[in-house]
Amino acid sequence: MLDKIRVVLVNTSHTGNIGSTARAMKTMGLSQLVLVDPVSEPDGQASALAAGATDVLGNAKIVSTLEEAVADCGLVIGTSARSRTLSWPMLEPRECGEKLVAEAADYPVALVFGRENNGLSNEELQQCHFHVCIPANPDYSSLNLAAAVQTLCYEVRMAFLNQTSLPEVEQEYPLVEDLERFYTHLEQTLTKTTFIVKQHPGMVMTKLRRLYNRARPEREELNILRGILASIDKSIANKEK
């Protein structure tokens, strides 16, 4: 089950943080590390700070975009501070660990960490189903990247060890790539109906993403929504004829 839980680092600046992350992961039994567009690929400093976790570091997968890193995942949780312009469904660290472990039985899941200096962008945060915030000291809430990884991986391990008491997930959720196709289809259809004006799109799609991520439609429900959009597309095409 732990092999289905991946840690994703986005645009990491310091290779030492990549190595320290690998070490933090291995101490908690996690092994799947994905690096999204790192400033520098793992080097000697990364290996030195990985200590005995060079196997996790050596097997790290490097991709260009977050979308590519999580496309086959059924659950994506992004780390974020609470002070965002647009609020998103939030989890406490313990809830985060429990949800990742509960759903890893059915498909790959991802825990996403952003840049050392400014975290994840709003666009990247919108690719996550939930956000998680570590309730650090408000007077000094700056956590080192590897320390944040260690904290949340610990919660994952505790949930894994206590999994007999966790409720089973019976719903079948769509993968991220299926959701992204739905969002693309939704935007295209709403543009056709002029609900979204191309020159002035505003925040419509951002708010709709938040709505559907909060609702967590199951795979069958998503198919129904795609069918509704297809019927609207067909109706518009018939009128144009």
Side-chain angles (χ1 to χ4, degrees):
M1 184 186 295
L2 292 179
D3 287 340
K4 287 188 176 181
I5 301 175
R6 71 187 60 158
V7 172
V8 180
L9 303 185
V10 176
N11 201 210
T12 311
S13 301
H14 306 293
T15 56
N17 283 332
I18 298 175
S20 295
T21 290
R23 181 176 183 175
M25 290 171 59
K26 187 165 183 176
T27 60
M28 294 299 129
L30 301 181
S31 60
Q32 303 302 309
L33 176 60
V34 180
L35 307 176
V36 176
D37 188 29
V39 173
S40 299
E41 295 190 9
D43 55 12
Q45 185 183 16
S47 296
L49 289 176
T54 49
D55 54 336
V56 175
L57 186 64
N59 291 324
K61 183 179 179 182
I62 299 177
V63 297
S64 301
T65 65
L66 177 58
E67 185 176 358
E68 185 180 352
V70 301
D72 62 336
C73 292
L75 173 67
V76 181
I77 301 177
T79 52
S80 169
R82 291 184 184 275
S83 55
R84 291 281 171 178
T85 307
L86 189 63
S87 61
W88 214 258
M90 293 291 302
L91 298 174
E92 295 297 329
R94 190 136 303 170
E95 293 177 291
C96 171
E98 290 173 352
K99 191 166 273 296
L100 287 168
V101 168
E103 299 197 23
D106 299 316
Y107 35 62
V109 298
L111 181 57
V112 184
F113 296 84
R115 301 157 187 81
E116 291 96 332
N117 57 344
N118 56 4
L120 295 167
S121 68
N122 284 332
E123 183 181 11
E124 289 161 348
L125 285 168
Q126 288 170 27
Q127 295 182 54
C128 305
H129 297 100
F130 298 92
H131 297 165
V132 60
C133 177
I134 298 172
N137 177 5
D139 295 327
Y140 188 70
S141 59
S142 177
L143 270 176
N144 172 271
L145 175 59
V149 172
Q150 185 76 79
T151 300
L152 293 177
C153 286
Y154 168 80
E155 294 296 349
V156 168
R157 183 156 191 82
M158 290 302 97
F160 172 70
L161 295 175
N162 295 322
Q163 62 186 312
T164 52
S165 63
L166 295 176
E168 291 186 12
V169 178
E170 296 180 359
Q171 301 93 332
E172 187 178 356
Y173 291 114
L175 301 181
V176 169
E177 57 187 351
D178 298 320
L179 272 174
E180 288 302 319
R181 281 193 285 267
F182 166 68
Y183 289 135
T184 299
H185 191 177
L186 180 62
E187 184 171 9
Q188 290 172 345
T189 301
L190 293 181
T191 302
K192 289 178 188 176
T193 65
T194 70
F195 186 82
I196 292 179
V197 181
K198 237 180 183 181
Q199 292 77 7
H200 306 285
M203 295 280 288
V204 173
M205 282 307 302
T206 298
K207 291 183 177 180
L208 286 173
R209 274 178 172 267
R210 181 178 65 167
L211 185 156
Y212 285 111
N213 278 352
R214 185 170 66 240
R216 240 17 242 291
E218 298 166 20
R219 187 184 296 274
E220 191 174 317
E221 293 169 338
L222 192 71
N223 289 338
I224 292 172
L225 290 171
R226 290 295 300 271
I228 292 171
L229 293 176
S231 69
I232 294 172
D233 294 339
K234 185 176 179 181
S235 179
I236 291 172
N238 289 337
K239 285 183 180 179
E240 288 176 347
K241 287 180 183 178

